[in-house]
Amino acid sequence: QVTLKESGPVLVKPTETLTLTCTVSGFSLSSARMGVSWIRQPPGQALEWLAHIFSNDEKSYSTSLKSRLTISKDTSKSQVVLTMTNMDPVDTATYYCARIRGPYSDGWYYFDYWGQGTLVTVSS
Amino acid sequence: QTVVTQEPSFSVSPGGTVTFTCGLSSGSVSISYYPSWYHQTPGQAPRTLIYNTNTRSSGVPDRFSGSIFGNKAALTITGAQADDESDYYCVLYMGSGVSVFGGGTKLTVL
């Protein structure tokens, strides 16, 4: 059974760095054509893709947030970590991690399993 | 920056058929964008419906289907049921590892 669980602070202050951890089970972060992505959703708004990392350590980031994001994985711990620097109240959102299948030809991939998400509030 | 467009809302009668679309602010959607579709009920995590334009995710009933309709990706629900009431999101693959979500379509079944 594939599961993903997000963990991290509930509240961060403006300008601080957010560190979120996605702990996976039911698959290995070293499995071919698999990876983990981070997606967020501000309250009442749409989903927004942030970043991903594949089993071969290939990484990609949202164009608009690239300068603030870093994604990494620890295969032995089955964990993927996302850091986002210089947090702002507009970054208040539920942050989801999801398993991705790929990359396939042309580099495409899709999300197949999702965590339940963790709400992060940015406020002083 | 390219924006992925979706209808903000739709309504359908129980048993009816509805088609949502997923377009681009500039240009046409083709299979080369590998469109995928997800649905989300309030307070819940998204769930995967369709990927690679028209491949149903495991366990998704065949009344959900994906296609390219004109210059957009499309999700069709036939025989709508009350528990289909949800937000529906499309995702387009833009290349170089980048995916973009649409703004979502809120479906009401009434």
Side-chain angles (χ1 to χ4, degrees):
Chain A
Q1 180 186 4
V2 173
T3 64
L4 303 97
K5 186 172 178 59
E6 306 87 350
S7 59
V10 174
L11 179 67
V12 298
K13 291 181 168 55
T15 75
E16 288 186 340
T17 293
L18 170 68
T19 299
L20 294 171
T21 300
C22 177
T23 303
V24 309
S25 63
F27 72 101
S28 171
L29 294 176
S30 62
S31 297
R33 296 201 189 281
M34 286 189 189
V36 170
S37 187
W38 285 93
I39 303 100
R40 71 177 179 179
Q41 185 174 39
Q45 298 186 41
L47 298 161
E48 177 184 18
W49 173 76
L50 298 177
H52 71 238
I53 186 167
F54 283 114
S55 56
N56 63 359
D57 217 38
E58 177 186 323
K59 305 166 189 175
S60 291
Y61 297 98
S62 162
T63 304
S64 60
L65 294 168
K66 186 173 185 176
S67 63
R68 299 174 53 204
L69 297 173
T70 302
I71 193 169
S72 62
K73 64 181 173 76
D74 185 330
T75 301
S76 65
K77 294 182 178 179
S78 295
Q79 291 181 334
V80 173
V81 175
L82 181 76
T83 62
M84 180 180 291
T85 61
N86 194 25
M87 293 293 285
D88 183 272
V90 300
D91 296 313
T92 294
T94 297
Y95 287 76
Y96 296 97
C97 61
R99 189 177 79 167
I100 51 176
R101 302 299 300 273
Y104 299 102
S105 60
D106 296 340
W108 74 277
Y109 56 92
Y110 68 96
F111 314 95
D112 66 347
Y113 287 91
W114 297 71
Q116 283 302 304
T118 185
L119 176 61
V120 178
T121 300
V122 184
S123 175
S124 54
Chain B
Q1 184 174 342
T2 301
V3 175
V4 177
T5 61
Q6 294 185 249
E7 299 87 357
S9 63
F10 248 109
S11 64
V12 64
S13 300
T17 296
V18 62
T19 297
F20 313 129
T21 66
C22 175
L24 289 168
S25 56
S26 177
S28 299
V29 177
S30 67
I31 60 173
S32 298
Y33 284 87
Y34 304 97
S36 54
W37 294 88
Y38 307 84
H39 70 153
Q40 183 186 35
T41 52
Q44 299 296 314
R47 297 179 67 181
T48 304
L49 290 171
I50 301 281
Y51 61 93
N52 193 16
T53 304
N54 56 14
T55 303
R56 276 184 293 278
S57 187
S58 176
V60 174
D62 60 7
R63 55 196 189 80
F64 291 89
S65 62
S67 64
I68 298 294
F69 185 73
N71 61 350
K72 298 181 180 181
L75 174 71
T76 299
I77 306 174
T78 57
Q81 301 177 0
D83 60 4
D84 293 334
E85 193 161 285
S86 180
D87 294 327
Y88 290 82
Y89 292 93
C90 70
V91 174
L92 299 181
Y93 177 66
M94 298 301 186
S96 300
V98 174
S99 286
V100 178
F101 280 83
T105 297
K106 184 178 183 62
L107 177 66
T108 301
V109 180
L110 47 72

